[in-house]
Amino acid sequence: MTDRTRPHDGTTAHAQPLTRPLTPDVTLRPAALADAPSFATALTRSRAYMRRWEPVRPEGFYAPEGQAARLTALLAERDAGRAMPWALADADDRVIGAFTLSAIERGPYRNARLGYWVDVDHAGRGLATAAVGAVCDAARDSLGLHRVEAATVTENAASQRVLSKAGFEQVGTAPGYLHINGRWRDHHLFQRLLHDDPPFA
């Protein structure tokens, strides 16, 4: 890795998050509080489609006010250096997905957890794979992380294909890992190692 691309220690990384066009009409960009109504619309539209893979949500979660509360908390985590949220936006800057690095840890661990979803109307276009790749680039080059982890319900073959195409490998299976769609579900665990450099102090 050259000095030009060597990751820094991530202490100010949240101030300059990645924006990247993925196709001529779709961009991965930082999420903002003003996106709350657009998030609410996309999540409501995709609710039935994503139900199998999501926790049971209160009705208020799907309202603009619920999304504003969620984004406020998430952006506070970003400002503390513990998360990095992105929105997938169409040509009219409407939200059609979300990609988030959370539980960011530094020191010798240099790790984050990846979560994502894509609007039902835009599934199957390769957007998730492209966005996951871009997020991993940012994790390495801007945040200085060594590893990104992800988990999928064992039956979620589509998400597993996304992770595999984006360079993740399965490292295990965790019984009863998350409470999804009303019950504790087994999950396959994945990781992507981003580089072999030692962590900065």
Side-chain angles (χ1 to χ4, degrees), residues 62-82:
Y62 298 94
E65 296 80 7
Q67 286 304 299
R70 182 186 69 84
L71 285 165
T72 296
L74 189 54
L75 294 173
E77 286 289 286
R78 178 203 65 190
D79 292 344
R82 294 189 293 264

Side-chain angles (χ1 to χ4, degrees), residues 33-69:
L33 185 57
D35 291 321
S38 191
F39 267 110
T41 298
L43 285 165
T44 298
R45 180 169 54 242
S46 301
R47 185 174 182 177
Y49 168 71
M50 296 196 300
R51 181 175 289 118
R52 290 178 296 167
W53 321 124
E54 286 283 300
V56 176
R57 309 286 194 185
E59 286 301 318
F61 178 84
Y62 298 94
E65 296 80 7
Q67 286 304 299

Side-chain angles (χ1 to χ4, degrees), residues 11 20-21 27 44 76 121 128 152 161-162 166 169 171-172 178 185:
T11 56
R20 180 178 293 183
T27 298
T44 298
D121 290 345
T152 76
R161 285 194 297 271
V162 166
E169 61 177 344
V171 294
L178 288 174
R185 303 292 302 280

Side-chain angles (χ1 to χ4, degrees), residues 93-164:
D93 206 33
R94 294 174 298 205
V95 171
I96 58 169
F99 292 77
T100 304
L101 292 176
S102 62
I104 293 173
E105 296 189 45
R106 294 185 172 85
Y109 196 26
R110 297 278 160 167
N111 184 74
R113 297 175 186 162
L114 171 67
Y116 58 89
W117 58 270
V118 173
D119 189 304
V120 61
D121 290 345
H122 296 270
R125 297 178 55 190
L127 296 173
T129 301
V132 168
V135 166
C136 287
D137 288 347
R140 180 192 64 219
D141 298 334
S142 295
L143 296 172
L145 300 181
H146 168 66
R147 177 179 179 270
V148 174
E149 65 181 71
T152 76
V153 174
T154 54
E155 295 88 352
N156 192 348
S159 190
Q160 292 157 25
R161 285 194 297 271
V162 166
L163 293 171
S164 179

